[in-house]
mmCIF file with all atom_site columns, all heavy atoms in Angstrom:
data_model
loop_
_atom_site.group_PDB
_atom_site.id
_atom_site.type_symbol
_atom_site.label_atom_id
_atom_site.label_alt_id
_atom_site.label_comp_id
_atom_site.label_asym_id
_atom_site.label_entity_id
_atom_site.label_seq_id
_atom_site.pdbx_PDB_ins_code
_atom_site.Cartn_x
_atom_site.Cartn_y
_atom_site.Cartn_z
_atom_site.occupancy
_atom_site.B_iso_or_equiv
_atom_site.pdbx_formal_charge
_atom_site.auth_seq_id
_atom_site.auth_comp_id
_atom_site.auth_asym_id
_atom_site.auth_atom_id
_atom_site.pdbx_PDB_model_num
ATOM 1  N N   . GLN A 1 50  ? 8.398  21.512 -3.732  1.00 90.00 ? 50  GLN A N   1
ATOM 2  C CA  . GLN A 1 50  ? 7.633  21.111 -4.914  1.00 90.00 ? 50  GLN A CA  1
ATOM 3  C C   . GLN A 1 50  ? 8.425  20.185 -5.822  1.00 90.00 ? 50  GLN A C   1
ATOM 4  O O   . GLN A 1 50  ? 7.837  19.555 -6.719  1.00 90.00 ? 50  GLN A O   1
ATOM 5  C CB  . GLN A 1 50  ? 7.212  22.353 -5.709  1.00 90.00 ? 50  GLN A CB  1
ATOM 6  C CG  . GLN A 1 50  ? 6.317  23.287 -4.910  1.00 90.00 ? 50  GLN A CG  1
ATOM 7  C CD  . GLN A 1 50  ? 5.838  24.465 -5.729  1.00 90.00 ? 50  GLN A CD  1
ATOM 8  O OE1 . GLN A 1 50  ? 5.089  24.294 -6.685  1.00 90.00 ? 50  GLN A OE1 1
ATOM 9  N NE2 . GLN A 1 50  ? 6.282  25.661 -5.349  1.00 90.00 ? 50  GLN A NE2 1
ATOM 10 N N   . GLU A 1 100 ? -2.734 19.869 -9.556  1.00 58.00 ? 100 GLU A N   1
ATOM 11 C CA  . GLU A 1 100 ? -2.465 20.918 -8.576  1.00 58.00 ? 100 GLU A CA  1
ATOM 12 C C   . GLU A 1 100 ? -3.575 21.071 -7.580  1.00 58.00 ? 100 GLU A C   1
ATOM 13 O O   . GLU A 1 100 ? -3.382 21.632 -6.523  1.00 58.00 ? 100 GLU A O   1
ATOM 14 C CB  . GLU A 1 100 ? -2.236 22.243 -9.296  1.00 58.00 ? 100 GLU A CB  1
ATOM 15 C CG  . GLU A 1 100 ? -3.498 22.796 -9.957  1.00 58.00 ? 100 GLU A CG  1
ATOM 16 C CD  . GLU A 1 100 ? -3.313 24.249 -10.361 1.00 58.00 ? 100 GLU A CD  1
ATOM 17 O OE1 . GLU A 1 100 ? -2.461 24.910 -9.753  1.00 58.00 ? 100 GLU A OE1 1
ATOM 18 O OE2 . GLU A 1 100 ? -4.008 24.703 -11.265 1.00 58.00 ? 100 GLU A OE2 1
ATOM 19 N N   . VAL B 2 29  ? -7.493 35.132 -4.889  1.00 82.00 ? 29  VAL B N   1
ATOM 20 C CA  . VAL B 2 29  ? -7.624 34.355 -6.125  1.00 82.00 ? 29  VAL B CA  1
ATOM 21 C C   . VAL B 2 29  ? -8.613 33.225 -5.884  1.00 82.00 ? 29  VAL B C   1
ATOM 22 O O   . VAL B 2 29  ? -9.019 32.962 -4.752  1.00 82.00 ? 29  VAL B O   1
ATOM 23 C CB  . VAL B 2 29  ? -6.265 33.788 -6.578  1.00 82.00 ? 29  VAL B CB  1
ATOM 24 C CG1 . VAL B 2 29  ? -5.283 34.924 -6.858  1.00 82.00 ? 29  VAL B CG1 1
ATOM 25 C CG2 . VAL B 2 29  ? -5.689 32.849 -5.532  1.00 82.00 ? 29  VAL B CG2 1
ATOM 26 N N   . LYS B 2 94  ? -6.595 26.049 -0.688  1.00 89.00 ? 94  LYS B N   1
ATOM 27 C CA  . LYS B 2 94  ? -5.416 25.996 -1.551  1.00 89.00 ? 94  LYS B CA  1
ATOM 28 C C   . LYS B 2 94  ? -5.680 26.894 -2.750  1.00 89.00 ? 94  LYS B C   1
ATOM 29 O O   . LYS B 2 94  ? -6.552 26.594 -3.564  1.00 89.00 ? 94  LYS B O   1
ATOM 30 C CB  . LYS B 2 94  ? -5.174 24.571 -2.014  1.00 89.00 ? 94  LYS B CB  1
ATOM 31 C CG  . LYS B 2 94  ? -3.886 24.347 -2.795  1.00 89.00 ? 94  LYS B CG  1
ATOM 32 C CD  . LYS B 2 94  ? -3.759 22.852 -3.125  1.00 89.00 ? 94  LYS B CD  1
ATOM 33 C CE  . LYS B 2 94  ? -2.449 22.558 -3.812  1.00 89.00 ? 94  LYS B CE  1
ATOM 34 N NZ  . LYS B 2 94  ? -2.360 21.122 -4.174  1.00 89.00 ? 94  LYS B NZ  1
ATOM 35 N N   . PRO B 2 95  ? -4.968 28.012 -2.871  1.00 83.00 ? 95  PRO B N   1
ATOM 36 C CA  . PRO B 2 95  ? -5.204 28.905 -4.014  1.00 83.00 ? 95  PRO B CA  1
ATOM 37 C C   . PRO B 2 95  ? -4.809 28.240 -5.322  1.00 83.00 ? 95  PRO B C   1
ATOM 38 O O   . PRO B 2 95  ? -3.824 27.488 -5.370  1.00 83.00 ? 95  PRO B O   1
ATOM 39 C CB  . PRO B 2 95  ? -4.296 30.103 -3.721  1.00 83.00 ? 95  PRO B CB  1
ATOM 40 C CG  . PRO B 2 95  ? -3.956 29.991 -2.280  1.00 83.00 ? 95  PRO B CG  1
ATOM 41 C CD  . PRO B 2 95  ? -3.978 28.544 -1.960  1.00 83.00 ? 95  PRO B CD  1
ATOM 42 N N   . GLY B 2 96  ? -5.558 28.508 -6.371  1.00 77.00 ? 96  GLY B N   1
ATOM 43 C CA  . GLY B 2 96  ? -5.220 27.954 -7.662  1.00 77.00 ? 96  GLY B CA  1
ATOM 44 C C   . GLY B 2 96  ? -3.855 28.437 -8.126  1.00 77.00 ? 96  GLY B C   1
ATOM 45 O O   . GLY B 2 96  ? -3.554 29.616 -8.023  1.00 77.00 ? 96  GLY B O   1
ATOM 46 N N   . GLY B 2 97  ? -3.028 27.536 -8.622  1.00 72.00 ? 97  GLY B N   1
ATOM 47 C CA  . GLY B 2 97  ? -1.706 27.899 -9.116  1.00 72.00 ? 97  GLY B CA  1
ATOM 48 C C   . GLY B 2 97  ? -0.630 27.899 -8.054  1.00 72.00 ? 97  GLY B C   1
ATOM 49 O O   . GLY B 2 97  ? 0.540  28.150 -8.349  1.00 72.00 ? 97  GLY B O   1
ATOM 50 N N   . TYR B 2 98  ? -0.977 27.633 -6.826  1.00 72.00 ? 98  TYR B N   1
ATOM 51 C CA  . TYR B 2 98  ? -0.013 27.602 -5.730  1.00 72.00 ? 98  TYR B CA  1
ATOM 52 C C   . TYR B 2 98  ? -0.079 26.258 -5.017  1.00 72.00 ? 98  TYR B C   1
ATOM 53 O O   . TYR B 2 98  ? -1.092 25.580 -5.052  1.00 72.00 ? 98  TYR B O   1
ATOM 54 C CB  . TYR B 2 98  ? -0.299 28.715 -4.719  1.00 72.00 ? 98  TYR B CB  1
ATOM 55 C CG  . TYR B 2 98  ? -0.150 30.106 -5.289  1.00 72.00 ? 98  TYR B CG  1
ATOM 56 C CD1 . TYR B 2 98  ? -1.233 30.751 -5.881  1.00 72.00 ? 98  TYR B CD1 1
ATOM 57 C CD2 . TYR B 2 98  ? 1.073  30.778 -5.244  1.00 72.00 ? 98  TYR B CD2 1
ATOM 58 C CE1 . TYR B 2 98  ? -1.102 32.010 -6.414  1.00 72.00 ? 98  TYR B CE1 1
ATOM 59 C CE2 . TYR B 2 98  ? 1.210  32.045 -5.772  1.00 72.00 ? 98  TYR B CE2 1
ATOM 60 C CZ  . TYR B 2 98  ? 0.121  32.650 -6.351  1.00 72.00 ? 98  TYR B CZ  1
ATOM 61 O OH  . TYR B 2 98  ? 0.248  33.912 -6.891  1.00 72.00 ? 98  TYR B OH  1
ATOM 62 N N   . GLN B 2 99  ? 1.021  25.908 -4.363  1.00 74.00 ? 99  GLN B N   1
ATOM 63 C CA  . GLN B 2 99  ? 1.055  24.648 -3.620  1.00 74.00 ? 99  GLN B CA  1
ATOM 64 C C   . GLN B 2 99  ? 0.805  24.823 -2.138  1.00 74.00 ? 99  GLN B C   1
ATOM 65 O O   . GLN B 2 99  ? 0.578  23.865 -1.429  1.00 74.00 ? 99  GLN B O   1
ATOM 66 C CB  . GLN B 2 99  ? 2.407  23.965 -3.835  1.00 74.00 ? 99  GLN B CB  1
ATOM 67 C CG  . GLN B 2 99  ? 2.572  23.378 -5.218  1.00 74.00 ? 99  GLN B CG  1
ATOM 68 C CD  . GLN B 2 99  ? 1.500  22.375 -5.554  1.00 74.00 ? 99  GLN B CD  1
ATOM 69 O OE1 . GLN B 2 99  ? 1.168  21.514 -4.763  1.00 74.00 ? 99  GLN B OE1 1
ATOM 70 N NE2 . GLN B 2 99  ? 0.927  22.512 -6.729  1.00 74.00 ? 99  GLN B NE2 1
ATOM 71 N N   . LYS B 2 100 ? 0.842  26.056 -1.652  1.00 82.00 ? 100 LYS B N   1
ATOM 72 C CA  . LYS B 2 100 ? 0.720  26.273 -0.206  1.00 82.00 ? 100 LYS B CA  1
ATOM 73 C C   . LYS B 2 100 ? -0.721 26.084 0.237   1.00 82.00 ? 100 LYS B C   1
ATOM 74 O O   . LYS B 2 100 ? -1.637 26.702 -0.296  1.00 82.00 ? 100 LYS B O   1
ATOM 75 C CB  . LYS B 2 100 ? 1.190  27.685 0.142   1.00 82.00 ? 100 LYS B CB  1
ATOM 76 C CG  . LYS B 2 100 ? 1.221  27.981 1.625   1.00 82.00 ? 100 LYS B CG  1
ATOM 77 C CD  . LYS B 2 100 ? 1.728  29.387 1.883   1.00 82.00 ? 100 LYS B CD  1
ATOM 78 C CE  . LYS B 2 100 ? 1.635  29.738 3.350   1.00 82.00 ? 100 LYS B CE  1
ATOM 79 N NZ  . LYS B 2 100 ? 2.079  31.120 3.608   1.00 82.00 ? 100 LYS B NZ  1
#
Side-chain angles (χ1 to χ4, degrees):
Chain A
Q50 299 184 66
E100 69 166 336
Chain B
V29 299
K94 187 177 184 182
Y98 296 90
Q99 288 302 314
K100 185 179 174 182

